[in-house]
Amino acid sequence: MVATAALAIGVTAAWAGFPNFRTVDSTFDAGTATKGGGKTATVESARVLAAAVEAPSSAAAVIYVHFSAVGVSRTPEFVPYAEGTQAWACANGGGGWPADPKKFEGPVGILGSQLSLTADRNGKIVYSGDGLSILLASPEGFSCPSGQTALLVGLNLSKLVLRVVGFDEEEAVDYPTSDGWTGNVFARPGYPG
């Protein structure tokens, strides 16, 4: 009886800590140019469309994070974070490139959307939706000429992690394997720069 009680206390203490992640991966949507600008641009995500309304000559890109974890207690809040360098350029309507496109290169460090998820009765969470995401919008002050759309053309990440609110630890997220990615680097296919 004493041994059982001690074991139960040990399990509870372990579950109160940082979740034991089994898989943490990501997918990516680079965004696309639309004829005459990005107001109806890209992905059908509410976040992406909201960004497009704020910057009608820009098409946002999104990193979606999915994971499974065990040893999860209560309802923790998860938030992804990305850090590195980004490059943007202005594309013609339809996605072609002018001879000398307007460009931007600079650092990026951005927290994604925060999401509260409840573990099942076994202390497990499997999350595969698109609410846990990092929105990459064109930098403030970077705008394209009329009829062109700002597109993410390069991303070099030094960090892509999943954080749990209230803990100092971070869990590495596997980089996307979609078109244009090699390891932690994205280069837009077809971009001449």
Side-chain angles (χ1 to χ4, degrees):
M1 181 85 165
V2 174
T4 304
L7 180 61
I9 291 168
V11 168
T12 302
W15 281 18
F18 194 67
N20 178 14
F21 288 97
R22 298 296 172 88
T23 59
V24 190
D25 59 27
S26 59
T27 55
F28 180 69
D29 190 303
T32 56
T34 56
K35 196 168 183 179
K39 211 165 233 199
T40 57
T42 80
V43 191
E44 293 304 317
S45 158
R47 286 179 197 81
V48 173
L49 292 177
V53 168
E54 288 173 22
S57 65
S58 176
V62 188
I63 299 172
Y64 297 103
V65 177
H66 322 277
F67 72 94
S68 65
V70 296
V72 182
S73 63
R74 58 190 196 281
T75 304
E77 294 177 327
F78 298 89
V79 59
Y81 174 76
E83 189 174 284
T85 57
Q86 61 182 336
W88 290 78
C90 295
N92 291 326
W97 301 99
D100 186 20
K102 184 176 178 183
K103 295 179 268 192
F104 170 89
E105 290 185 18
V108 62
I110 187 165
L111 277 174
S113 54
Q114 188 168 301
L115 198 60
S116 297
L117 298 169
T118 304
D120 66 17
R121 63 192 187 114
N122 298 313
K124 183 176 182 181
I125 290 177
V126 176
Y127 182 73
S128 59
D130 68 359
L132 196 60
S133 56
I134 299 171
L135 179 71
L136 297 156
S138 63
E140 191 175 333
F142 179 72
S143 61
C144 292
S146 178
Q148 294 185 0
T149 303
L151 294 177
L152 181 73
V153 294
L155 187 60
N156 188 335
L157 294 178
S158 55
K159 180 182 266 193
L160 180 58
V161 295
L162 185 57
R163 294 175 174 172
V164 183
V165 175
F167 293 93
D168 293 332
E169 296 97 325
E170 297 175 330
E171 184 68 21
V173 177
D174 290 342
Y175 293 104
T177 55
S178 53
D179 195 23
W181 283 89
T182 303
N184 63 323
V185 178
F186 168 74
R188 181 176 287 272
Y191 175 64

